[in-house]
Amino acid sequence: MRSILRASLFGFFLFIGISCESYFAPDDREQSPLRVVSVYPAMNATDIPIDAPMRIRFNKHLDAGYFSTSAIDLRSGNSSKWTMSYYDPLRMELVIWTSSSMLPNTVWGLRLDEDVRALDGSWLRAQQLTLFRTGSEKQYVPVYAQKTYFSDVKPIFDTHCVSCHSNGAFANLDLASVPDLVRTAINVPSAHWPDMVQIAPDRPGNSYLVYKLVDNPYISGRVMPRALDDGEPATTLSPKEKRTIMDWILSGALF
């Protein structure tokens, strides 16, 4: 009877231990390796253009699907600004801009009001990011460049991608024509990363295609474009070509 009781207790505590571990391990914020590498404007910077976008660069990829713009607080005293943002996987950078110009010659503070998460599940706690003072001028630089499919993106796909990604040959991704793109890529869940879609219009940080263009540990297989097993080595996309694809997605992935 005692042996049965000991076995039952052992099984109970084993179950509690396993349950607690599985519950707490994914949210272990005390060991978070996610950190901010740089911020623009830098701490105590002055004469910042009143329409300047702000940039937060991380040491690893942010989980853009978890992040909300409500986590960002930009304010001067009691005055706050409504902000918009997108995550740039090419630079591991969160880009933030305001709906209207900031007040000139004013000290502004930028902070994370909520914890944010990396793709590997690690965390960064809410914190003050920077304090800066605006000048009185505008810089008139767009947050991203407007790109179109036929003029900008299709030539890249035709040169580097459609030899493999046509007729559903590889990864069920067909880039040969607009109907094929719509059918296999636009808001279509990735077979290798179900939490993302192949191309999420306006949201490059939620677009698996963008992550396939950069060397990172989260993708399945190799960085694209790649050569066939017995073919000549593939020509990698230039930084400008990668940026063009991402800017097209930011522009709404329109045709």
Side-chain angles (χ1 to χ4, degrees):
M1 182 69 181
R2 290 180 180 178
S3 61
I4 295 174
L5 179 61
R6 282 196 298 269
S8 299
L9 288 172
F10 176 77
F12 172 76
F13 286 116
L14 179 62
F15 170 77
I16 292 296
I18 292 174
S19 299
C20 291
E21 181 181 5
S22 63
Y23 182 81
F24 288 109
D27 196 26
D28 187 2
R29 304 186 184 198
E30 294 302 320
Q31 300 181 13
S32 169
L34 177 63
R35 66 179 188 276
V36 173
V37 174
S38 64
V39 180
Y40 176 83
M43 182 66 76
N44 298 322
T46 59
D47 203 29
I48 300 300
I50 58 177
D51 61 344
M54 290 141 279
R55 300 177 183 272
I56 309 170
R57 185 167 293 182
F58 300 92
N59 66 321
K60 56 172 58 180
H61 282 294
L62 196 67
D63 186 343
Y66 177 86
F67 177 81
S68 169
T69 301
S70 64
I72 296 294
D73 182 56
L74 175 67
R75 68 176 52 247
S76 177
N78 293 325
S79 176
S80 62
K81 293 293 290 183
W82 187 65
T83 60
M84 297 167 281
S85 66
Y86 71 86
Y87 177 65
D88 177 350
L90 301 181
R91 294 175 176 165
M92 293 194 292
E93 191 172 74
L94 184 66
V95 182
I96 304 158
W97 68 100
T98 57
S99 57
S100 59
S101 297
M102 294 176 281
L103 292 174
N105 305 308
T106 305
V107 175
W108 291 88
L110 179 68
R111 66 170 284 113
L112 285 174
D113 262 1
E114 302 170 10
D115 297 357
V116 295
R117 187 172 68 189
L119 279 178
D120 64 0
S122 57
W123 292 85
L124 175 70
R125 292 185 181 277
Q127 59 183 265
Q128 187 73 37
L129 296 169
T130 186
L131 292 167
F132 61 92
R133 186 178 183 87
T134 51
S136 57
E137 303 295 325
K138 289 186 176 183
Q139 64 178 11
Y140 298 103
V141 176
V143 177
Y144 58 89
Q146 291 284 335
K147 298 294 181 181
T148 63
Y149 173 73
F150 288 102
S151 297
D152 302 305
V153 174
K154 189 176 186 301
I156 299 174
F157 285 168
D158 288 347
T159 300
H160 298 279
C161 307
V162 298
S163 59
C164 293
H165 289 286
S166 58
N167 299 318
F170 288 90
N172 295 320
L173 178 62
D174 196 328
L175 305 177
S177 69
V178 169
D180 291 328
L181 257 170
V182 171
R183 178 176 53 84
T184 66
I186 304 298
N187 290 320
V188 176
S190 166
H192 301 295
W193 201 338
D195 290 341
M196 284 193 184
V197 297
Q198 300 279 29
I199 295 175
D202 306 307
R203 297 176 293 140
N206 299 85
S207 300
Y208 186 68
L209 179 69
V210 179
Y211 290 89
K212 286 292 287 185
L213 303 179
V214 295
D215 189 13
N216 69 83
Y218 307 111
I219 62 172
S220 175
R222 287 183 274 178
V223 175
M224 294 289 109
R226 53 161 288 191
L228 296 177
D229 293 338
D230 298 323
E232 295 295 325
T235 302
T236 59
L237 297 186
S238 68
K240 181 179 178 181
E241 289 171 322
K242 294 176 185 179
R243 176 65 45 184
T244 294
I245 294 172
M246 198 188 80
D247 283 345
W248 170 65
I249 293 173
L250 277 167
S251 302
L254 300 176
F255 301 98

